[in-house]
Amino acid sequence: IIWAGLKLTSTEVTITDAAQAFFRYENGVNDGELQAISSVGGVDVATDTGIVIAVSTQYRFKIAIGSDRKAKFYVNGKHYKTSAALTTAVDLIPYIGVACDGTGAAKAISVYGQAISRVMA
């Protein structure tokens, strides 16, 4: 299981946070395709990107939240999803994680960079 994005907790579980915007991959879920997950007010929406995650392949994930509080999800520069407006006054935390799914061997991911910024109006 791989997850990366903005959450309230560090868990990969979709239903844990009432507000979040993150990417999630689990080999036995969604036919092994990457999902863009958003949660607003506890309503979780998982969008299939159609991307089959492959070993030793680089992916560039981007989540951009505009002044309208809608999260836009991009992979390798292509837009895949726009969420409903996220809850106001919620400070989301950037997380990247990997976890073992079931009894399989532990896996690893290589992260070549992470950035987060806030443009003040």
Short mmCIF file of all heavy atoms in Angstrom, two decimals, residues 70-106:
data_model
loop_
_atom_site.label_atom_id
_atom_site.label_comp_id
_atom_site.label_asym_id
_atom_site.label_seq_id
_atom_site.Cartn_x
_atom_site.Cartn_y
_atom_site.Cartn_z
N LYS A 70 -10.86 23.76 -3.57
CA LYS A 70 -11.00 22.51 -4.30
C LYS A 70 -9.61 21.96 -4.61
O LYS A 70 -8.74 22.69 -5.07
CB LYS A 70 -11.78 22.73 -5.60
CG LYS A 70 -13.23 23.11 -5.34
CD LYS A 70 -13.98 23.32 -6.63
CE LYS A 70 -15.42 23.70 -6.34
NZ LYS A 70 -16.17 23.96 -7.59
N ALA A 71 -9.43 20.67 -4.34
CA ALA A 71 -8.15 20.02 -4.60
C ALA A 71 -8.15 19.46 -6.02
O ALA A 71 -9.08 18.75 -6.41
CB ALA A 71 -7.92 18.90 -3.60
N LYS A 72 -7.11 19.79 -6.76
CA LYS A 72 -6.93 19.25 -8.10
C LYS A 72 -5.77 18.26 -8.06
O LYS A 72 -4.70 18.57 -7.55
CB LYS A 72 -6.65 20.37 -9.10
CG LYS A 72 -7.84 21.28 -9.27
CD LYS A 72 -7.60 22.34 -10.32
CE LYS A 72 -8.85 23.20 -10.43
NZ LYS A 72 -8.70 24.24 -11.43
N PHE A 73 -6.01 17.07 -8.57
CA PHE A 73 -5.06 15.97 -8.52
C PHE A 73 -4.43 15.78 -9.90
O PHE A 73 -5.13 15.64 -10.90
CB PHE A 73 -5.78 14.67 -8.14
CG PHE A 73 -6.32 14.66 -6.74
CD1 PHE A 73 -7.50 15.32 -6.42
CD2 PHE A 73 -5.67 13.95 -5.74
CE1 PHE A 73 -8.01 15.29 -5.13
CE2 PHE A 73 -6.17 13.92 -4.45
CZ PHE A 73 -7.34 14.59 -4.14
N TYR A 74 -3.09 15.72 -9.93
CA TYR A 74 -2.33 15.52 -11.16
C TYR A 74 -1.34 14.39 -10.98
O TYR A 74 -0.75 14.24 -9.92
CB TYR A 74 -1.52 16.78 -11.51
CG TYR A 74 -2.35 18.03 -11.69
CD1 TYR A 74 -2.69 18.83 -10.60
CD2 TYR A 74 -2.76 18.42 -12.96
CE1 TYR A 74 -3.43 19.99 -10.77
CE2 TYR A 74 -3.50 19.59 -13.14
CZ TYR A 74 -3.84 20.36 -12.04
OH TYR A 74 -4.58 21.50 -12.21
N VAL A 75 -1.14 13.61 -12.04
CA VAL A 75 -0.08 12.61 -12.08
C VAL A 75 0.69 12.83 -13.37
O VAL A 75 0.10 12.86 -14.46
CB VAL A 75 -0.63 11.17 -12.04
CG1 VAL A 75 0.51 10.15 -12.10
CG2 VAL A 75 -1.47 10.94 -10.80
N ASN A 76 2.00 13.03 -13.22
CA ASN A 76 2.87 13.30 -14.37
C ASN A 76 2.32 14.43 -15.24
O ASN A 76 2.38 14.38 -16.47
CB ASN A 76 3.09 12.02 -15.20
CG ASN A 76 3.78 10.94 -14.41
OD1 ASN A 76 4.51 11.22 -13.45
ND2 ASN A 76 3.55 9.69 -14.75
N GLY A 77 1.77 15.44 -14.59
CA GLY A 77 1.28 16.64 -15.29
C GLY A 77 -0.14 16.55 -15.82
O GLY A 77 -0.68 17.55 -16.28
N LYS A 78 -0.76 15.38 -15.78
CA LYS A 78 -2.12 15.22 -16.29
C LYS A 78 -3.13 15.34 -15.16
O LYS A 78 -2.98 14.70 -14.11
CB LYS A 78 -2.27 13.87 -16.99
CG LYS A 78 -3.65 13.67 -17.58
CD LYS A 78 -3.78 12.34 -18.30
CE LYS A 78 -5.20 12.15 -18.79
NZ LYS A 78 -5.41 10.84 -19.38
N HIS A 79 -4.18 16.13 -15.36
CA HIS A 79 -5.24 16.33 -14.37
C HIS A 79 -6.18 15.13 -14.37
O HIS A 79 -6.65 14.71 -15.41
CB HIS A 79 -6.00 17.61 -14.70
CG HIS A 79 -7.13 17.88 -13.77
ND1 HIS A 79 -8.44 17.74 -14.14
CD2 HIS A 79 -7.15 18.27 -12.47
CE1 HIS A 79 -9.22 18.04 -13.13
NE2 HIS A 79 -8.45 18.35 -12.10
N TYR A 80 -6.45 14.59 -13.16
CA TYR A 80 -7.31 13.42 -13.04
C TYR A 80 -8.58 13.67 -12.24
O TYR A 80 -9.55 12.94 -12.41
CB TYR A 80 -6.55 12.24 -12.40
CG TYR A 80 -5.63 11.58 -13.37
CD1 TYR A 80 -4.31 12.00 -13.52
CD2 TYR A 80 -6.08 10.55 -14.18
CE1 TYR A 80 -3.47 11.41 -14.43
CE2 TYR A 80 -5.24 9.95 -15.10
CZ TYR A 80 -3.94 10.38 -15.22
OH TYR A 80 -3.10 9.81 -16.14
N LYS A 81 -8.58 14.66 -11.35
CA LYS A 81 -9.74 14.83 -10.48
C LYS A 81 -9.73 16.22 -9.89
O LYS A 81 -8.67 16.79 -9.62
CB LYS A 81 -9.70 13.80 -9.35
CG LYS A 81 -10.74 14.02 -8.25
CD LYS A 81 -10.56 13.06 -7.11
CE LYS A 81 -11.63 13.30 -6.06
NZ LYS A 81 -11.85 12.17 -5.20
N THR A 82 -10.92 16.77 -9.66
CA THR A 82 -11.10 17.97 -8.86
C THR A 82 -12.11 17.63 -7.78
O THR A 82 -13.20 17.13 -8.07
CB THR A 82 -11.62 19.15 -9.71
OG1 THR A 82 -10.66 19.43 -10.74
CG2 THR A 82 -11.82 20.39 -8.86
N SER A 83 -11.75 17.87 -6.53
CA SER A 83 -12.62 17.51 -5.41
C SER A 83 -13.66 18.60 -5.15
O SER A 83 -13.58 19.70 -5.70
CB SER A 83 -11.78 17.32 -4.14
OG SER A 83 -11.37 18.58 -3.62
N ALA A 84 -14.58 18.28 -4.29
CA ALA A 84 -15.47 19.30 -3.74
C ALA A 84 -14.63 20.21 -2.84
O ALA A 84 -13.50 19.87 -2.49
CB ALA A 84 -16.59 18.64 -2.94
N ALA A 85 -15.16 21.35 -2.47
CA ALA A 85 -14.42 22.30 -1.63
C ALA A 85 -14.12 21.67 -0.27
O ALA A 85 -15.02 21.16 0.40
CB ALA A 85 -15.21 23.59 -1.46
N LEU A 86 -12.85 21.70 0.10
CA LEU A 86 -12.43 21.18 1.40
C LEU A 86 -12.93 22.08 2.52
O LEU A 86 -13.18 23.27 2.31
CB LEU A 86 -10.91 21.05 1.44
CG LEU A 86 -10.32 20.07 0.44
CD1 LEU A 86 -8.82 20.25 0.32
CD2 LEU A 86 -10.66 18.65 0.83
N THR A 87 -13.02 21.52 3.71
CA THR A 87 -13.49 22.25 4.88
C THR A 87 -12.57 23.42 5.21
O THR A 87 -11.36 23.30 5.11
CB THR A 87 -13.55 21.29 6.09
OG1 THR A 87 -14.30 20.15 5.71
CG2 THR A 87 -14.20 21.94 7.29
N THR A 88 -13.16 24.53 5.61
CA THR A 88 -12.35 25.69 5.99
C THR A 88 -11.65 25.46 7.32
O THR A 88 -12.07 24.65 8.13
CB THR A 88 -13.23 26.95 6.11
OG1 THR A 88 -14.21 26.72 7.11
CG2 THR A 88 -13.89 27.30 4.81
N ALA A 89 -10.58 26.19 7.53
CA ALA A 89 -9.84 26.21 8.79
C ALA A 89 -9.33 24.83 9.21
O ALA A 89 -9.24 24.54 10.40
CB ALA A 89 -10.68 26.83 9.90
N VAL A 90 -9.02 23.97 8.27
CA VAL A 90 -8.44 22.67 8.58
C VAL A 90 -7.01 22.65 8.04
O VAL A 90 -6.78 22.87 6.86
CB VAL A 90 -9.26 21.52 7.95
CG1 VAL A 90 -8.56 20.19 8.14
CG2 VAL A 90 -10.65 21.47 8.54
N ASP A 91 -6.04 22.44 8.93
CA ASP A 91 -4.64 22.35 8.52
C ASP A 91 -4.31 20.90 8.22
O ASP A 91 -4.19 20.07 9.12
CB ASP A 91 -3.73 22.88 9.62
CG ASP A 91 -3.87 24.38 9.82
OD1 ASP A 91 -4.21 25.07 8.85
OD2 ASP A 91 -3.65 24.84 10.95
N LEU A 92 -4.16 20.59 6.95
CA LEU A 92 -3.79 19.24 6.54
C LEU A 92 -2.28 19.08 6.59
O LEU A 92 -1.53 20.04 6.42
CB LEU A 92 -4.32 18.96 5.14
CG LEU A 92 -5.84 19.03 4.99
CD1 LEU A 92 -6.25 18.89 3.53
CD2 LEU A 92 -6.52 17.96 5.84
N ILE A 93 -1.83 17.86 6.82
CA ILE A 93 -0.41 17.56 7.00
C ILE A 93 0.06 16.71 5.83
O ILE A 93 -0.61 15.74 5.46
CB ILE A 93 -0.20 16.79 8.33
CG1 ILE A 93 -0.78 17.60 9.49
CG2 ILE A 93 1.27 16.47 8.55
CD1 ILE A 93 -0.98 16.79 10.76
N PRO A 94 1.22 17.04 5.24
CA PRO A 94 1.72 16.22 4.13
C PRO A 94 2.30 14.89 4.65
O PRO A 94 3.07 14.88 5.59
CB PRO A 94 2.81 17.08 3.50
CG PRO A 94 3.25 18.00 4.58
CD PRO A 94 2.07 18.21 5.48
N TYR A 95 1.88 13.80 4.01
CA TYR A 95 2.37 12.47 4.36
C TYR A 95 2.73 11.69 3.11
O TYR A 95 2.09 11.83 2.07
CB TYR A 95 1.30 11.66 5.11
CG TYR A 95 1.06 12.08 6.53
CD1 TYR A 95 -0.09 12.78 6.87
CD2 TYR A 95 1.97 11.78 7.53
CE1 TYR A 95 -0.32 13.17 8.19
CE2 TYR A 95 1.75 12.15 8.84
CZ TYR A 95 0.60 12.85 9.16
OH TYR A 95 0.38 13.23 10.46
N ILE A 96 3.73 10.85 3.22
CA ILE A 96 4.06 9.84 2.23
C ILE A 96 4.29 8.56 3.02
O ILE A 96 5.03 8.57 4.01
CB ILE A 96 5.32 10.18 1.43
CG1 ILE A 96 5.13 11.48 0.65
CG2 ILE A 96 5.68 9.04 0.48
CD1 ILE A 96 6.39 11.98 -0.02
N GLY A 97 3.67 7.46 2.59
CA GLY A 97 3.84 6.24 3.35
C GLY A 97 3.79 4.99 2.50
O GLY A 97 3.28 5.00 1.38
N VAL A 98 4.32 3.92 3.06
CA VAL A 98 4.25 2.60 2.44
C VAL A 98 3.98 1.60 3.56
O VAL A 98 4.49 1.74 4.67
CB VAL A 98 5.55 2.26 1.67
CG1 VAL A 98 6.75 2.23 2.58
CG2 VAL A 98 5.41 0.98 0.88
N ALA A 99 3.12 0.63 3.28
CA ALA A 99 2.77 -0.36 4.29
C ALA A 99 2.65 -1.73 3.63
O ALA A 99 2.38 -1.83 2.43
CB ALA A 99 1.44 0.00 4.96
N CYS A 100 2.83 -2.75 4.42
CA CYS A 100 2.68 -4.12 3.95
C CYS A 100 1.20 -4.45 3.87
O CYS A 100 0.44 -4.15 4.79
CB CYS A 100 3.39 -5.06 4.92
SG CYS A 100 3.37 -6.76 4.37
N ASP A 101 0.78 -5.04 2.78
CA ASP A 101 -0.61 -5.44 2.59
C ASP A 101 -0.75 -6.92 2.92
O ASP A 101 -0.26 -7.76 2.19
CB ASP A 101 -1.02 -5.15 1.14
CG ASP A 101 -2.46 -5.51 0.86
OD1 ASP A 101 -3.22 -5.72 1.81
OD2 ASP A 101 -2.82 -5.60 -0.32
N GLY A 102 -1.37 -7.21 4.05
CA GLY A 102 -1.54 -8.61 4.44
C GLY A 102 -0.25 -9.21 4.95
O GLY A 102 0.48 -8.61 5.73
N THR A 103 0.07 -10.41 4.47
CA THR A 103 1.24 -11.13 4.96
C THR A 103 2.44 -11.03 4.02
O THR A 103 3.42 -11.72 4.21
CB THR A 103 0.90 -12.62 5.17
OG1 THR A 103 0.48 -13.16 3.90
CG2 THR A 103 -0.20 -12.79 6.20
N GLY A 104 2.34 -10.18 3.01
CA GLY A 104 3.44 -10.04 2.05
C GLY A 104 4.67 -9.43 2.68
O GLY A 104 4.65 -8.88 3.77
N ALA A 105 5.76 -9.51 1.96
CA ALA A 105 7.03 -8.94 2.42
C ALA A 105 6.94 -7.41 2.39
O ALA A 105 6.23 -6.84 1.57
CB ALA A 105 8.16 -9.41 1.52
N ALA A 106 7.68 -6.78 3.28
CA ALA A 106 7.71 -5.32 3.34
C ALA A 106 8.27 -4.75 2.05
O ALA A 106 9.16 -5.34 1.43
CB ALA A 106 8.56 -4.86 4.52
#
